[in-house]
């Protein structure tokens, strides 16, 4: 028999004979003759009613069904009917089912660490008080959720978050393919650090040592040297950053791209910008329901962007910060706090949560960054920002082998440790540039989840390698 999906049922399904496999979300008995179940599939629930009936449903059956704990997986058979009062909800079906049969497919051992009802409580319900006025913290803390991640992932909010995450990678891939990019896969085991020595994980590699890739940086540039012209990769990135913050993981998913340049690095910035606009509008278009579900627990002002993206040069950003009383040097890197302040100032002045910060000081960028031809204290490099936080970092790259070697030495890198990379440049490479995006950051900031772990299925940080 075909199984119905709860999300596809509506009042017009009334009268249909249905088979549904779902989890018991909640269960409420009324006397010993009637049982109300909320059955759940992903984001959607449906009310199911089991009532004693001389031909099909015995008292024992109602009693047994009432004893099934929440989260059990059941297969039910019944008839759809219109609810007495129409249901207007993005997640609860406007259709009920009168049950004839219920089979247990997979049961629960022991007690659940928390209920999904508690896990779904909204911010206001955090403040719920009991009769004596004491605070009742029914909602579930992040640590408990992460320790019991599979259960937490079943909540409609988590289900929605990972649909949106999948939407970001799918929009990233489809846009780049439409622009002639080739998807590549580069090694995560490396002979040397790829970004900076400080944050690299060492792993034992037979009798020697290998390093986990901190970025596909060198490999994606070598793919350009190999004439692939436009490449992208979606893959894991490892950073041994020993800091517990709301936005750092030790393993995240990098959305990287690299492309040749004909005339100017504006071509890269323009493409990256169109890519983000494609992602933002695609998410709003395809995931309105998911965004609404998430917004119930994480209320956020809608993500704003402009038709023509704001480009702020480094000097303009420093001026904006100084105007608001912040003391900062011309070539000093921004702290996380200053970055956020800048985001707030930009939102106030330009009404956007998305902008490009361009022309970074050369001294605070990696060795492979191309200096600005007009003023070599700056560089042809940029960060893209969402809600005041960095989501992309990129640049035009140095493509002259002699200059590249000089830049390495200036950064204290032994060119011999990157021989394969340097050799690629000695055989000629077209001017090129690109960028790297943190997938989990884009999801966290678009949805305002406030912690990157909520946008990571099984997060890894300095204190967490499990589950
Ligand atoms: P960068 O080091 O800035 O640049 O990283 C690119 C993007 O990756 C994300 N990101 C992180 N996300 C989660 N946890 C972390 N610890 C973390 N670190 C970085 C951010 C950041 O913008 N090779 C260059 C990219 C390039 O030039 O193409 C690079 O790796 O969103």
């Amino acid at each position: 028999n075909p199984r119905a999906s709860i999300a596809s049922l509506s009042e017009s399904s009334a009268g249909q004979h249905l088979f549904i496999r779902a989890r018991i979300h909640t269960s409420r008995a009324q006397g010993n003759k009637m049982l109300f179940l909320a059955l759940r599939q992903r984001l959607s629930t449906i009310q199911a009613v089991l009532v004693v009936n001389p031909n099909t449903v015995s008292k024992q059956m109602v009693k047994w069904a009432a004893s099934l704990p929440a989260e059990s997986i059941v297969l039910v058979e019944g008839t759809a009917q219109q609810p007495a009062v129409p249901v207007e909800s993005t997640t609860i079906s406007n259709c009920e089912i009168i049950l004839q049969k219920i089979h247990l497919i997979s049961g629960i051992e022991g007690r659940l660490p928390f209920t999904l009802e508690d896990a779904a409580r909204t911010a206001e319900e955090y403040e719920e008080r009991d009769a004596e006025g004491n605070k009742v913290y029914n909602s579930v803390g992040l640590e408990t959720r992460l320790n019991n991640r599979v259960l937490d992932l079943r909540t409609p909010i988590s289900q929605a978050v990972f649909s949106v995450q999948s939407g970001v990678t799918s929009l990233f891939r489809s846009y780049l393919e439409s622009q002639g990019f080739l998807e590549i896969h580069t090694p995560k085991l490396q002979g040397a650090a790829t970004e900076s020595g400080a944050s690299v994980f060492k792993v034992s590699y037979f009798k020697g040592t290998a390093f986990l890739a901190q970025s596909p940086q060198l490999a994606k540039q070598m793919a350009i040297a190999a004439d692939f012209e436009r490449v992208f990769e979606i893959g894991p990135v490892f950073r041994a950053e020993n800091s517990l913050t709301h936005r750092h993981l030790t393993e995240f998913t990098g959305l990287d791209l690299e492309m040749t340049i004909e005339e100017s690095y504006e071509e890269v910035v323009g493409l990256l910008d169109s890519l983000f606009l494609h992602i933002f509008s695609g998410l709003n278009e395809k995931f309105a329901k998911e965004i609404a579900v998430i917004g119930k627990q994480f209320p956020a002002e809608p993500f704003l962007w402009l038709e023509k993206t704001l480009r702020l040069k480094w000097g303009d950003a420093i001026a904006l910060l100084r105007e608001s009383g912040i003391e900062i040097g011309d070539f000093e890197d921004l702290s996380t706090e200053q970055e956020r302040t800048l985001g707030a100032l930009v939102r106030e002045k330009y009404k956007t949560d998305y902008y490009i910060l361009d022309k970074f000081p050369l001294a605070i960028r990696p060795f492979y960054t191309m200096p600005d031809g007009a003023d070599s204290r700056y560089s042809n490099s940029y960060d893209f920002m969402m809600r005041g936080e960095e989501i992309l970092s990129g640049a035009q790259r140095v493509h002259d082998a002699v200059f590249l070697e000089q830049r390495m030495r200036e950064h204290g890198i032994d060119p011999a440790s990157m021989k394969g990379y340097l050799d690629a440049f000695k055989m000629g490479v077209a001017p090129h540039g690109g960028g790297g995006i943190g997938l989990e950051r884009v999801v966290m900031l678009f949805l305002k989840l406030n912690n990157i772990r909520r946008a990571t299925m099984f997060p890894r940080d300095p204190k967490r390698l499990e589950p």
Side-chain angles (χ1 to χ4, degrees), residues 195 214-215 217 220 239 241 247-250 252 256-258 368 390-395 397 434-438 440-441 452:
E195 285 292 327
Q214 299 142 292
S215 158
Q217 185 61 38
K220 67 181 180 174
R239 302 276 169 103
E241 275 159 315
R247 65 172 185 180
H248 287 94
L249 297 166
T250 50
F252 66 92
D256 272 83
L257 68 86
E258 201 69 23
Y368 48 74
E390 173 201 329
I391 44 142
L392 170 143
S393 186
R397 326 296 188 183
I437 302 165
E440 297 83 355
R441 283 207 191 166
I452 198 163

Side-chain angles (χ1 to χ4, degrees), residues 161-174 234 255 275-276 278-280 283 287 437-440 442-443 446:
V161 166
F162 291 94
S163 290
V164 171
Q165 189 192 76
S166 168
V168 174
T169 50
S170 147
L171 290 159
F172 175 81
R173 178 179 278 122
S174 62
I234 301 177
L255 307 178
L275 166 66
F276 274 108
H278 177 79
I279 292 175
F280 300 152
L283 291 180
F287 298 96
I437 302 165
L439 170 65
E440 297 83 355
V442 173
V443 175
F446 189 78

